[in-house]
């Protein structure tokens, strides 16, 4: 399951509609909406043509259109990020409709950075809350005292990394730490792609270079134009290949 994430106004729901052919439901704006995107694959089409099976089931990606984060209310964001935790990978959709995201060439880079910080702060809250609980329970004489102490020692360096660096990079996870990351569904360790939603893909080269230099994986697409193009061809009952759907499964 891939979560479409980001701040409000970036175009997540437009990406969702383009890839799933499902109109976003306003009633699910605060809970998230699930849809499936069919993965375009010429090899599949060739095999279908060759074998003529009775049933055709293309590869699909489950997409979760998550609630957009609020740029002004961080306490609201912590609640909305909870919906994102069920996703295995994240696609951060960032709008760049006026030379860099509505105000300057640095806006997209700043928004991506701030979003990563939001993920780290949400993870930090979960980890530190658990550490605080363990610091109370672990010293008590109880049958699982050793297990609780081991968990506490495993979580402390993770909490320190999230607090000081806002990420878990550089930690060589033990088996226990890996288990804890999965059980807490930490956001900062999920694979993440930055999708710059723009009207002019060629105009974002400098922004892409800056983000890639900072270690982000980046893709640019004129999502609104692609959606309009797809809808027009669908109305005319003509097949169309959408570039975003055909991106690498990596």
């Amino acid at each position: 399951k891939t979560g479409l994430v980001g701040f409000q106004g970036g175009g997540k729901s437009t990406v969702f509609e383009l890839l799933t052919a499902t109109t976003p439901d306003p009633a699910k704006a605060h809970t998230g909406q699930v849809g499936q995107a069919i993965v375009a694959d010429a090899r599949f089409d060739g095999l279908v043509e060759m074998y003529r099976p009775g049933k055709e089931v293309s590869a699909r990606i489950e997409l979760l259109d998550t609630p957009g984060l609020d740029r002004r209310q961080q306490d609201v964001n912590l609640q909305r990020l909870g919906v994102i935790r069920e996703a295995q990978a994240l696609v951060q959709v960032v709008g760049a409709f006026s030379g860099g995201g509505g105000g300057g060439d640095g806006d997209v880079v700043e928004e991506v950075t701030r979003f990563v910080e939001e993920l780290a702060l949400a993870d930090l809250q979960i980890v530190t809350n658990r550490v605080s609980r363990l610091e109370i329970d672990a010293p008590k004489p109880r049958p699982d005292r050793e297990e609780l102490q081991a968990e506490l020692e495993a979580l402390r360096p993770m909490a320190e990394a999230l607090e000081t660096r806002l990420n878990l990079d550089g930690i060589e996870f033990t088996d226990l730490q890996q288990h804890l990351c999965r059980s807490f569904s930490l956001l900062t360790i999920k694979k993440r792609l930055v999708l710059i939603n723009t009207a002019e893909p060629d105009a974002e080269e400098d922004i892409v270079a800056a983000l890639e230099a900072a270690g982000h994986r980046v893709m640019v697409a004129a999502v609104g134009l692609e959606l309009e193009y797809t809808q027009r061809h669908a109305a005319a009952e003509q097949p169309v290949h959408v570039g975003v759907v055909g991106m690498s499964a990596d």
Side-chain angles (χ1 to χ4, degrees), residues 65-213:
D65 185 16
T66 67
L69 300 191
D70 193 310
R71 293 176 176 82
R72 295 164 298 182
Q73 301 183 55
Q74 191 177 65
D75 56 336
V76 174
N77 292 340
L78 290 174
Q79 180 180 1
R80 294 179 179 178
L81 284 170
V83 178
I84 299 174
R85 293 194 183 277
E86 63 182 276
Q88 281 76 50
L90 308 177
V91 176
Q92 181 187 357
V93 183
V94 185
F97 306 111
S98 57
D105 291 338
D107 288 356
V108 169
V109 176
E110 180 182 354
E111 183 160 320
V112 171
T113 301
R114 181 175 174 185
F115 183 78
V116 173
E117 292 174 353
E118 293 278 2
L119 298 183
L121 291 173
D123 282 354
L124 178 61
Q125 183 183 61
I126 286 182
V127 174
T128 53
N129 285 348
R130 181 58 179 164
V131 167
S132 298
R133 182 74 256 174
L134 288 170
E135 286 177 340
I136 295 174
D137 292 341
K140 297 178 181 178
R142 45 190 296 169
D144 59 348
R145 179 178 179 180
E146 291 186 5
E147 289 83 354
L148 295 180
Q149 187 63 41
E151 182 181 349
L152 177 59
E153 295 303 318
L155 286 175
R156 277 174 171 162
M158 294 169 60
E160 181 181 357
L162 288 169
E163 186 170 11
T164 58
R165 303 195 304 270
L166 295 178
N167 60 61
L168 294 172
D169 296 344
I171 295 181
E172 295 185 7
F173 290 114
T174 64
D175 290 343
L176 176 56
Q177 287 173 326
Q178 291 178 358
H179 170 73
L180 292 171
C181 286
R182 291 191 298 268
S183 63
F184 293 146
S185 296
L186 295 185
L187 300 169
T188 47
I189 65 170
K190 296 182 187 293
K191 289 187 176 181
R192 183 173 49 85
L193 171 71
V194 176
L195 173 57
I196 301 177
N197 179 20
T198 180
E200 301 178 19
D202 294 339
E204 312 300 336
E205 293 180 359
D206 292 344
I207 296 174
V208 171
L211 289 171
E212 289 181 339

Side-chain angles (χ1 to χ4, degrees), residues 209-224:
L211 289 171
E212 289 181 339
H216 300 285
R217 300 180 65 189
V218 187
M219 180 180 179
V220 181
V223 180

Side-chain angles (χ1 to χ4, degrees), residues 6 8 23 25 30 34 37 54 70 90 104 112 114 138 211 226 240 243 248:
Q8 295 172 340
T23 302
D25 184 352
H30 298 294
V34 176
D70 193 310
L90 308 177
V112 171
R114 181 175 174 185
L211 289 171
E226 290 208 38
V240 60
S248 169

Side-chain angles (χ1 to χ4, degrees), residues 219-233:
M219 180 180 179
V220 181
V223 180
L225 291 177
E226 290 208 38
L227 177 59
E228 181 181 355
Y229 180 73
T230 302
Q231 290 174 334
R232 286 184 179 181
H233 278 262

